[in-house]
Every structure is written in C-alpha cells, then in structure tokens.
Amino acid sequence: MEANLDTFETRLKNNAREIEALLDALLLPNPLSDEIGRPETLRSAMHYAVLNGGKRLRPFLVVESAALLGGDAEAALRVGAALECVHCYSLVHDDLPAMDDDDLRRGKPTVHIKFDEATAILAGDSLLTYAFDIIAAPETTLPDTSKAALVLALARAAGLGGMAGGQALDLAAERQAPDEAGIIRLQAMKTGALIRFACEAGAIISAGSPEDRRRLRAFGEKIGLAFQLADDILDLTSDAATMGKATGKDAARGKGTLVALHGIEWAESELRRHVRDAEALLAPYRARASTLIAAAQFIADRKS
C-alpha cells in the first residue's frame, strides 16, 4: 500500500505549482467585484507572504483527502489555497517582534522586515479574511451546505479554540513552561488544528460519510502530532541554513517541548508510533490511501 517516493514527491511538487499559480491569480492587482480597490503595498505584502516558497503540505492534504473520496479536484484546490492563506497569515503574525521576533522565513526576510510591521499586520489580517472569501466565492463549485461546513470547520481550526489560541499558549509558555498535558494541548492547537482541518476538509468537499469524516479528522490529528515532533527534533538537530529560519529558539526561551521532556530517542519512537496509527486509520481505503500514507511518512522523515 506504500506509494513510490518519487511518485509522491512528484505529486507534492505538482500540487505546489498548482496552488502557487492559483494564489498568484487570486492576488492580482485588479479588484474583484464588490472590492473597492487593492492598495498595492498591501497586495504586494500578501503576495510575498504566500509566494515565498514552502512545500504547500496543507493544501496537498486537502487535495489528496478529497481525491481519496472522489471529490471535486478544482474545488479542493481552491479550499487548499484558502487554507494556505490562513497558514501564511499565521506565519506573518508569528514572525512579528511582539511574538516570535524572526527575521527569516523560508530563507527570506520576513514580511515585517521586507515591508514594515504595520503592513505585515494588515497583510496577515487580509489573508485570514480572504481565506473565507475564497471558500464562499461562486468559483468554488460546491453546495452551499458544504461551503458553510468548511467555513465553520476552518474558523474553529484557526481561531480561539485552535491555532490562534495555541499561539497564545505558546507565548505564555515563555513565562511558565507547561506540563506534558499542556504541551500536547498547545501543539494540537497551534500546529495540529490546521493539519486536522486539511484532512477533514477532503471529506466535507466529497460529501463523505460521517465515518469518512471521522477517520480523516483522526488521521489529521495523528500526522499533526507527528509534524510537531519532527519540528521539535529538527529545531534541536538542524541549522538555520537547512530550515530557512532560526533554530534552537524554543530552548533558548525556556519553552517546554516533548523532546526536551523525554529526549530525542523517545521522540523519534513516538513519531513512528503516530505514523503507524495514522496508517491504520486509512487501512479501510486500501490502495487508494497510498498517497496520504506517503504524506505521513514524509512528515516523519522531513529534513526541513
């Protein structure tokens, strides 16, 4: 049931190109209907934020989860682009001096360095808002009930009870390191919530059964945990040139991680366990799930 690695990486790169072409088209200078205008500096900052590299893993998971259940490929691509807008908004704000204070993102100057802080804040705000525009727009050819379900699920994943709440917990962890349960909750919110949405969105797009939605949601939770463990391991073992961003900052700020609590050997074993659990969730889909299973393995094995 394993996908050929070369085939998987080709699919990932092809999807990234399609997502980037769509994002580029969505951020052209000409206003959309009912938009009054598109200030050029803000539009350029948004464009820079979403088109400065990256593997586009989250939109890939949307597209492949939808494909697993025979969902509309074009609609899935647009939902993936919306999710990437949310993800990139979070990176823009996370890099700000008031938060993680980073100068590099994907090996390039962060948005507030390239432009300025006020523009970076507005670019993040606009990307978050635009995500829901993309899903709701007529060009996303899904039933209104599916669009509403996607909007609700993405709002829950991105907001107070998801990613933004996780970022707040992450900032609080600089003042008082959380216990193990607190670390798991923080990471499930800050990192895992959008990955979980990416997988669950495929079932919504495809009008899958409640069991399909449950399985894909649980799969997303498992690979979200794996993603964060891999990230924490890389933060300790890699360097800024490889990662395209500063490394070792969590340890320097005293933030607790599961790797810091239990060690790298434990973390690598736990990482593999999450991948096995993720694979087991997709076993009923047999060979159709091979690409998603390869994605789980890719997350565990990534070097940047």
Side-chain angles (χ1 to χ4, degrees):
M1 195 161 64
E2 293 185 359
N4 178 275
L5 181 60
D6 291 338
T7 301
F8 168 77
E9 292 187 349
T10 297
R11 289 173 75 99
L12 183 63
K13 289 175 183 177
N14 287 344
N15 180 79
R17 282 194 290 268
E18 290 182 332
I19 285 289
E20 287 166 4
L22 177 54
L23 288 167
D24 183 56
L26 288 164
L27 288 167
L28 291 174
N30 296 333
L32 302 178
S33 63
D34 294 328
E35 287 184 342
I36 297 170
R38 288 190 161 191
E40 181 53 29
T41 299
L42 178 56
R43 186 202 68 83
S44 295
M46 293 168 68
H47 191 276
Y48 179 80
V50 298
L51 288 165
N52 68 341
K55 299 177 182 68
R56 314 297 178 186
L57 179 63
R58 289 160 188 81
F60 178 78
L61 291 170
V62 175
V63 169
E64 292 297 336
S65 295
L68 176 71
L69 300 173
D72 184 298
E74 289 302 317
L77 198 68
R78 286 183 60 87
V79 175
L83 176 56
E84 192 70 354
C85 285
V86 174
H87 174 55
C88 292
Y89 124 74
S90 76
L91 301 181
V92 172
H93 281 192
D94 208 35
D95 290 336
L96 288 167
M99 295 186 71
D100 273 3
D101 193 15
D102 279 313
D103 293 343
L104 280 180
R105 172 65 65 181
R106 295 168 178 163
K108 298 177 182 178
T110 51
V111 175
H112 71 275
I113 296 294
K114 177 75 172 178
F115 294 86
D116 56 66
E117 286 185 42
T119 300
I121 292 168
L122 291 172
D125 292 344
S126 299
L127 286 170
L128 174 60
T129 307
Y130 201 19
F132 298 101
D133 181 319
I134 294 166
I135 292 172
E139 291 82 0
T140 303
T141 53
L142 291 171
D144 288 345
T145 51
S146 297
K147 290 182 179 182
L150 288 163
V151 165
L152 177 60
L154 182 54
R156 295 279 171 89
L160 171 65
M163 181 188 64
Q167 288 175 313
L169 293 175
D170 193 45
L171 291 172
E174 295 182 16
R175 299 187 295 274
Q176 182 175 355
D179 59 15
E180 183 166 355
I183 293 170
I184 292 170
R185 183 176 67 161
L186 184 165
Q187 294 180 344
M189 292 170 71
K190 184 180 179 184
T191 302
L194 289 190
I195 293 175
R196 185 185 71 184
F197 169 81
C199 299
E200 185 178 6
I204 299 172
I205 291 164
S206 310
S209 69
E211 178 64 11
D212 289 327
R213 188 166 174 176
R214 185 196 69 78
R215 282 190 178 276
L216 284 171
R217 179 185 174 95
F219 173 79
E221 289 173 351
K222 286 293 180 182
I223 63 173
L225 291 168
F227 186 98
Q228 186 61 57
L229 276 172
D231 211 48
D232 289 343
I233 292 169
L234 288 169
D235 191 59
L236 290 176
T237 61
S238 190
D239 54 41
T242 302
M243 294 292 287
K245 62 179 181 179
T247 58
K249 294 188 72 173
D250 285 351
R253 293 181 174 184
K255 291 183 183 178
T257 67
L258 295 178
V259 178
L261 278 179
H262 296 292
I264 289 178
E265 184 176 342
W266 175 91
E268 289 176 342
S269 174
E270 192 73 356
L271 176 59
R272 296 298 166 187
R273 183 179 69 81
H274 288 316
V275 171
R276 289 194 302 271
D277 289 347
E279 291 176 359
L281 284 162
L282 299 188
Y285 303 108
R286 300 182 183 276
R288 286 185 293 146
S290 61
T291 301
L292 285 175
I293 288 172
Q297 295 165 345
F298 171 81
I299 284 168
D301 294 337
R302 66 195 178 93
K303 304 301 180 187
S304 63

